[in-house]
Structures are given as structure tokens and as C-alpha cells.
Amino acid sequence: MNVGRSGYRVFSANSTPAGSELAKQITERLGVELGKSVVYQESNRETRVDVKESVRGQDIFIIQTMPRDVNTAIMELLVMAYALKTSCAKNIIGVIPYFPYSKQCKMRKRGSIVCKLLASMLAKAGLTHIITMDLHQKEIQGFFSFPVDNLRASPFLLQYIQEEIPDYRNAIIVAKSPSAAKRAQSYAERLRLGLAVMHGEAQCAESDMADGRHSPPAFRPSCGPPGLELPWKHQAPFPGIELPMMMAKEKPPITVVGDVGGRIAIIVDDIIDDVADFVAAAEILKERGAYKIYIMATHGLLSADAPRLIEESAIDEVVVTNTVPHEVQKLQCPKIKTVDVSMILAEAIRRIHNGESMAYLFRNVTVDD
């Protein structure tokens, strides 16, 4: 395709070569050249973006993967979007395969919903549309004031299971926590396999963290001198009001609901970052008789000592997509395998620019996928 006549440009907002690798794969599939721009950090760590060609009246796609320095990557995306907006681009579409801060999408006591803040910042910078993949919570789409296409990586991971795992018919899909059971059930039904769910103290349940309703501090009995009023937070409740006391949660010892003995255990999730939970789950599954253990996840953040922990664990293979750069981690741990999803991202770009329906990319996709 001739770049000059295509009516759109594809830019990479990454200042690192590793971060631009996915953008190169996408442009190769589209048959276009990567837009000419320079993204770099000043000596004082300020982000600077210089767009080297005209974008007036065109659809602009900014591909931004999230390396380890997430905050710098976000700033690069914001600055580039604003530079394109002030250069009179017609539409600015962000291609953000892994959307950062997606785990911070619920209120945590006196914290904040950072994901909503980031959505507002992207809109203010000039983005008019976003293409992403496997949001941590689908409800995040409601934070945006413009369209969001939340693509799925499951077809690629399912294909990997069928083609690369020998005797996968003897496998069982495992959810490492009840919150992941819907995703695991979707995989199990598509592969016609059994389902097992892990539950117990090894899991880290997000729902256990408060949503802001514990805000008034605990009641303290009045102990001031007669006639001296204590602040409201230290006063007793109104006379005649007795609020029921909530029982403290206590997780049972970890259990596996389902028979994994003599099976290949395939744990599925959307993000694998801190691998301690996955390593603990693998040990339990080995004790229950699973003879091989695979981890399948869309986003392989693999932070800190994740490669070393995986290499030393009972896990046989970790399969992730290339939504996040992880070439360094693969060099440290040969158990890590990559599935390429540039094909579906390139097709999404083509369809959006041409005004075609996106339904084909979501065929047979259910609410639980």
C-alpha cells in the first residue's frame, strides 16, 4: 500500500527499540511504513516528541506498548497525541495492547481510581478512539468518553494449546482463583476440556480490599473531661442505633475443586506479573498429581525476579502474547514462549480506517471471554 495515498499514518510513541518492535510488525502486515517521528527524553527526563511529516486531515494510529517504565510510556503517548492534535490530524487512534493501571479500576479505601484518571488524560490529549486487548475488567470501557475496541487474545492462545501442547486432550483448564473461573470456563468449553478451580489462602482476592465503605474510623469511647466535646469521629453513635458487626474474613486452606491427577494442568489468566501466586499454584497442582503445568496469559509483564522464579518452579511453560515487550525475560528463562497478536491489531487498524464493521474480530466471542 502506498503510504502517501493511504490516508492514514501509523506512528510508534516508544523511545526504546524494544518498545517499537510490535509497531514494526503491525506496519509490515499493513504494507505501510512507520511514520517519521522522534521520541526521546531530555537530560532532565522531560519527554520530547518531534513529528517529521505532515498529518493534516489524516487518520493517525499511535502504537504504544508498555515497557517496564510505564509512567514514561504514558507520558510519551500523551505528548505525541497532543502534538498530532495540534498538527490538525483528523482522528487520533491509540493502539494500546496492554492498558496500564487497569488493576487500579476500583476504589481502595482512601485511594483513587487511577484508570479513570488515565482515561480522562488520554481524551484531553486528543485521542478519539482506542484499540486495546483483554482489559483487566471490561467495565473499564465505561471510563472513556470515546469508543474503545477491546480485542481478545484467546483465539491465539487456544490455537497454541491445540497445536503446541502434545496430548492436550488429556489437559484440564485451571482457574487459580474463583475470580478467574469465568475465563477458565470459556477456555474449557471451547476446548471441550474439564475445569478445576483453586480456592484458599494462597489467592490474593481483589474484592477483599475495601471499596471506601470503611471510611469512618472505628468508634472510640468518650474519655474527655466533663463538658468537653470530642470530635465527631470519637463520639458514640446516635442513641438507639446499633450497627451490626461484620465478621472478619478467614480464608480456608488452599483447595482444588476438580480432579487434576494424571492430567496436564493449564492455568489461564489475563496478566502475569508477580509470579509468586502462579508458582504456589503450580506446586499445589503437582502435589495433586498433575504431570505438566502450563500458564497461559495475554499480558506478560514478568516484573522483578519473575524469570528466575519461573525457571526454578514446577511450571513447564509460560505462554504470553507480545502485547508487552519481554525479550530480556525470555533470554533469562527459556520456559517463556510468545504468541504473536500483531495480525488482529493490524486488521483492526485497517477496518477502523476503512469504516468497516469490527464484528468479524469478535465472532464467537462471549461476555465471559
Side-chain angles (χ1 to χ4, degrees):
M1 184 183 293
N2 185 287
V3 179
R5 297 179 182 176
S6 63
Y8 72 97
R9 295 282 191 281
V10 179
F11 287 88
S12 171
N14 279 110
S15 57
T16 60
S20 301
E21 190 59 36
L22 180 60
K24 292 177 181 177
Q25 293 175 2
I26 291 172
T27 52
E28 285 175 6
R29 289 186 178 275
L30 289 169
V32 302
E33 295 178 6
L34 199 59
K36 297 179 176 62
S37 65
V38 179
V39 182
Y40 61 98
Q41 313 299 318
E42 298 275 14
S43 56
N44 62 354
R45 303 302 298 164
E46 287 185 1
T47 298
R48 184 177 289 274
V49 173
D50 291 328
V51 179
K52 300 294 187 180
E53 57 185 298
S54 174
V55 297
R56 183 178 295 273
Q58 298 189 54
D59 291 336
I60 305 299
F61 295 85
I62 309 174
I63 300 173
Q64 181 66 320
T65 53
M66 297 293 162
R68 290 191 177 186
D69 191 355
V70 174
N71 294 328
T72 298
I74 291 171
M75 202 63 206
E76 290 171 348
L77 176 60
L78 293 170
V79 174
M80 174 164 276
Y82 191 68
L84 294 167
K85 177 184 177 182
T86 55
S87 298
C88 301
K90 180 182 178 182
N91 294 302
I92 304 172
I93 300 97
V95 183
I96 313 170
Y98 167 65
F99 195 80
Y101 287 96
S102 58
K103 285 190 174 183
Q104 298 189 48
C105 60
K106 297 178 182 178
M107 182 62 73
R108 304 287 190 228
K109 293 188 178 179
R110 294 175 183 83
S112 60
I113 306 177
V114 184
C115 195
K116 167 62 176 171
L117 171 64
L118 181 54
S120 301
M121 292 167 65
L122 292 172
K124 192 69 176 176
L127 265 70
T128 58
H129 196 139
I130 276 183
I131 302 169
T132 187
M133 182 168 280
D134 283 340
L135 287 170
H136 187 57
Q137 298 287 341
K138 297 176 184 64
E139 293 77 9
I140 290 173
Q141 295 174 79
F143 291 161
F144 295 87
S145 57
F146 49 76
V148 176
D149 285 309
N150 182 28
L151 303 176
R152 305 295 195 273
S154 53
F156 298 91
L157 296 175
L158 289 167
Q159 183 181 27
Y160 184 93
I161 292 172
Q162 293 173 315
E163 295 179 357
E164 301 296 333
I165 298 181
D167 197 22
Y168 83 91
R169 290 292 182 188
N170 190 37
I172 185 168
I173 304 299
V174 180
K176 74 176 180 68
S177 66
S179 61
K182 283 187 176 181
R183 181 186 299 271
Q185 181 182 358
S186 175
Y187 275 69
E189 290 174 351
R190 293 179 188 284
L191 293 168
R192 279 57 170 178
L193 300 176
L195 175 67
V197 180
M198 304 185 72
H199 173 63
E201 59 187 7
Q203 75 179 32
C204 180
E206 290 184 30
S207 57
D208 289 353
M209 302 181 74
D211 61 359
R213 296 173 190 175
H214 298 303
S215 293
F219 163 68
R220 297 179 186 176
S222 176
C223 57
L228 178 62
E229 286 192 9
L230 295 178
W232 69 270
K233 65 180 180 178
H234 298 306
Q235 292 177 2
F238 291 108
I241 294 181
E242 266 190 52
L243 299 177
M245 182 66 70
M246 283 291 290
M247 296 280 293
K249 286 188 177 181
E250 185 176 342
K251 292 183 182 178
I254 192 164
T255 56
V256 180
V257 182
D259 183 16
V260 299
R263 301 283 193 89
I264 300 170
I266 303 175
I267 303 175
V268 298
D269 215 332
D270 62 329
I271 299 172
I272 177 168
D273 187 4
D274 180 8
V275 300
D277 286 351
F278 291 93
V279 170
E283 291 175 358
I284 294 294
L285 292 171
K286 277 287 186 182
E287 291 174 6
R288 297 293 194 278
Y291 69 91
K292 272 193 176 182
I293 297 168
Y294 291 80
I295 310 290
M296 313 290 294
T298 303
H299 310 296
L301 306 187
L302 303 169
S303 302
D305 291 333
R308 179 182 61 81
L309 293 173
I310 293 170
E311 186 65 26
E312 297 172 357
S313 73
I315 299 169
D316 291 281
E317 199 167 278
V318 173
V319 183
V320 294
T321 71
N322 56 343
T323 56
V324 178
H326 54 265
E327 292 305 315
V328 174
Q329 290 90 328
K330 286 179 69 175
L331 293 174
Q332 297 170 347
C333 177
K335 291 182 179 181
I336 300 171
K337 308 297 181 183
T338 307
V339 174
D340 181 22
V341 293
S342 62
M343 179 191 303
I344 193 170
L345 294 170
E347 181 62 14
I349 290 173
R350 190 192 68 78
R351 285 175 176 267
I352 288 173
H353 171 66
N354 292 333
E356 298 177 19
S357 171
M358 297 286 282
Y360 177 76
L361 304 183
F362 293 95
R363 65 195 188 283
N364 299 325
V365 171
T366 65
V367 174
D368 296 331
D369 285 334

